[in-house]
Structure formats: structure tokens, C-alpha cells
Amino acid sequence: MPSPLPVRDGVGATRLHVPLTGPWATIADYMIERFFHLDPERLLVRFDRGEIVARDGRPLHRGTPLGAEEFVWYYREPPVEREIPFTEEILHTDDHLVVIDKPHFLPTTPGGKYLQNSALVRLRNRLGIPELTPIHRLDRATAGLLMFSVRPETRGAYQLLFEDRRVEKTYEAVSARPAGWDPSRFPLVYRTHIEKRRGEVRVQVDHAREPNSETLIDLIDADDRVVHTLLRPHSGKMHQLRVHLAALGLGILHDGFYPELLPERPDDFARPLQLLARELRFTDPLSGEERVFTTRRTLQDAPAR
């Protein structure tokens, strides 16, 4: 469903589904309850200023009755953001794709307390391409290769590559060397069933169910401190690589989620998660050309070579 509002400062408008019936007299009443954490009067003033619109771009007012519109659009009010002091590097651009090296701590898309400090918004503003859209995602904590679509007309062809698992993805990770370390078990394939439950920040592992995630794990190097591994995921479940390494006793350095969920704390820019999206390899669906993109970043805690 196209937005009636243009991209502004690199940020697209937010769409909200509004119930057609319910205990609210107006759309404004519903939104006040829906966004209970916001000041109600501040929200009503946004209606008065014409900042909340219908599908055809027509401004709604605070008295617009519930049921008049099923969807409304508005711009998110910018949060007070902490600046992410790292810059994404553009590795490749053409008529259809932009490929970047994303730094640690930078989210792929706006969300929560990050808006301008997201790879998508930074790139839209930097390149002047409001239609730019990510084709896949990287966790905010993960660094490395991230690919964006330039043209809506060809976006689907590249998205299908990921949906059909026709993109070979390679990652690197660094973990603390565990007691009883045995390098002879590598390479190995690890499989398990991963489930993301609503409202939970971590995924859950169910060993009784059929595996739905698979990772080939190989050894790059090790010293008396750490183990440096190469990871080739066959599936793309949320937090898959972090979960699989933690299950093997190789929890990634500086991971606040696995194997143990640590209390939330401010970013420590000196201790990034030691996980890197190293390579993307695929056959271009438009040209038939073999495409290979490789990160220029390294993991700071990897063994010296």
C-alpha cells in the first residue's frame, strides 16, 4: 500500500491500522489509548496541524469518527538520538544495488530510539535516493555487508534470492576459548529448531522439534585466548549464528544475549559484538553475472596472523 506522504529527511511515513469499530468515538481517541505513553494533548495538536492523514493524503482532525478510515499515516517524531560515531562505507553502487560495509552498533532500519542513526536513513540522505530499501537485514550489533535495492521495479528479483536461499552468506566470529578446547571437531554442521516468541528479546531453542536452522562452522584460527570461526548459514533465523555458537560453548565475545541475557546497558563502543558479515555471493537475477562482495572490516579480537 503506497504512502500518501513522501520520504522526509530520509524517513518514510509510518502507517497505522485503525479498527473500524470499538469503544472509541474518534480515531484520535483510539490513538491516544494506543500510544498511552505519549502526551495526549501533544497528539491532538498533531491532528490540528494536519500531520495525520488518510490514504488519499487528506488531513484528519481530532473529531474524525472511528470507522472513517482503516489506515492513517504520519511521520514519527524524531527521538533524541545518541550519535553512532562510525560511518558506513559504500562498497558498490549501480542502477539496481547499493552494497555497504555496515559498522557495529548501526541499525539497518529506523526503530526504537534510532531514526537518523540507521543505515537506511543515512544512505537515503547521503545518496539522495528516497526509494532505497534494504533487501535483507543485519542485527544492529553485527558489522559487515548489507545490500540495498535502488529501484522498486527490480527489488523483488533480489529479494527472491534471499527468500529462496540462493545467496551464499559467510560470516566470521570470535569467541573466548573454552576449557577443554578441541579443534579436531571442526568443520561441523549444527542444526536446531529456533523460535521467535512475541514479546521476548531472545529466541527460544526447542530440541524436541525438527530443526529449522543450519550452520556450517569451520575453524579459521585460535590462540590461547580466543577461537576465530567461519560461519556459513544455510537458513536465516533470527540470532541463528549467536545461538549456534553459544550452544557449542563458543558464545561470541561481547554478546549480551547468548548464552546469558545480561542487563541492558549503554553501548560500549570499545567492545563490539565480534560477529562480521564477511561475504555475499550470488548470481545476479537481471544480468546472470556472478556477484561477489567482500567486507573490508576485521574483528578486533581475532588472533593476530
Side-chain angles (χ1 to χ4, degrees):
M1 188 180 299
S3 170
L5 298 173
V7 171
R8 185 175 73 180
D9 298 328
V11 182
T14 295
R15 184 184 71 185
L16 176 69
H17 178 259
V18 180
L20 296 175
T21 60
W24 310 278
T26 65
I27 290 176
D29 289 339
Y30 168 74
M31 291 183 69
I32 287 170
E33 184 172 319
R34 171 72 172 76
F35 301 112
F36 61 89
H37 56 290
L38 300 178
D39 176 18
E41 187 57 36
R42 188 170 178 177
L43 184 58
L44 291 172
V45 167
R46 297 198 69 187
F47 277 95
D48 296 341
R49 292 199 301 246
E51 295 178 359
I52 298 171
V53 306
R55 185 173 183 175
D56 59 3
R58 176 174 35 86
L60 304 179
H61 55 84
R62 63 170 69 195
T64 301
L66 191 77
E69 301 292 338
E70 187 174 3
F71 295 96
V72 301
W73 280 260
Y74 59 92
Y75 293 111
R76 285 181 56 198
E77 292 191 311
V80 177
E81 296 184 59
R82 182 184 183 189
E83 183 70 22
I84 306 297
F86 308 107
T87 303
E88 67 286 349
E89 180 183 2
I90 297 174
L91 300 179
H92 171 86
T93 60
D94 61 34
D95 289 342
H96 306 285
L97 296 177
V98 173
V99 182
I100 70 166
D101 236 346
K102 186 184 84 66
H104 293 103
F105 302 104
L106 185 70
T108 298
T109 56
K113 53 190 176 182
Y114 296 102
L115 190 62
Q116 291 297 322
N117 279 282
S118 64
L120 175 61
V121 174
R122 282 187 179 184
L123 286 170
R124 281 178 172 173
N125 289 331
R126 181 175 172 182
L127 299 175
I129 306 175
E131 299 84 9
L132 201 70
T133 302
I135 299 173
H136 62 119
R137 299 287 196 276
L138 285 182
D139 289 344
R140 189 173 81 86
T142 305
L145 297 176
L146 188 56
M147 194 159 72
F148 294 80
S149 163
V150 174
R151 296 175 179 270
E153 312 88 71
T154 59
R155 184 170 302 146
Y158 291 100
Q159 288 173 330
L160 276 175
L161 290 176
F162 287 89
E163 292 174 15
D164 296 342
R165 299 178 182 175
R166 288 183 283 137
V167 178
E168 295 180 34
K169 297 178 284 185
T170 305
Y171 292 76
E172 295 179 28
V174 177
S175 311
R177 177 170 171 158
W181 161 246
D182 179 12
S184 66
R185 59 178 173 161
F186 295 94
L188 61 83
V189 174
Y190 192 85
R191 301 180 182 91
T192 194
H193 187 95
I194 293 176
E195 180 182 353
K196 174 66 173 76
R197 296 175 184 169
R198 192 170 185 177
E200 297 186 8
V201 297
R202 298 204 307 172
V203 299
Q204 300 298 316
V205 175
D206 189 342
H207 296 290
R209 297 179 66 183
E210 186 74 18
N212 63 358
S213 63
E214 177 181 307
T215 307
L216 172 64
I217 305 171
D218 204 352
L219 180 63
I220 296 175
D221 199 1
D223 60 19
D224 57 357
R225 305 173 303 107
V226 296
V227 176
H228 189 189
T229 49
L230 186 73
L231 313 166
R232 290 191 172 94
H234 180 64
S235 50
K237 297 298 181 182
M238 180 177 176
H239 294 173
Q240 174 178 320
L241 303 179
R242 299 160 76 170
V243 168
H244 285 184
L245 284 175
L248 294 170
L250 292 170
I252 300 173
L253 282 179
H254 315 315
D255 191 348
F257 282 59
Y258 308 94
E260 179 185 358
L261 181 60
L262 302 178
E264 186 176 1
R265 57 194 177 198
D267 290 333
D268 182 349
F269 295 138
R271 292 165 54 86
L273 178 73
Q274 292 298 280
L275 181 60
L276 175 66
R278 168 175 165 166
E279 184 178 277
L280 292 172
R281 183 185 296 265
F282 58 93
T283 301
D284 191 287
L286 304 181
S287 68
E289 175 188 357
E290 288 300 311
R291 311 293 290 269
V292 181
F293 299 107
T294 305
T295 184
R296 294 176 184 168
R297 298 182 183 272
T298 58
L299 293 172
Q300 67 181 31
D301 291 308
R305 304 186 76 178

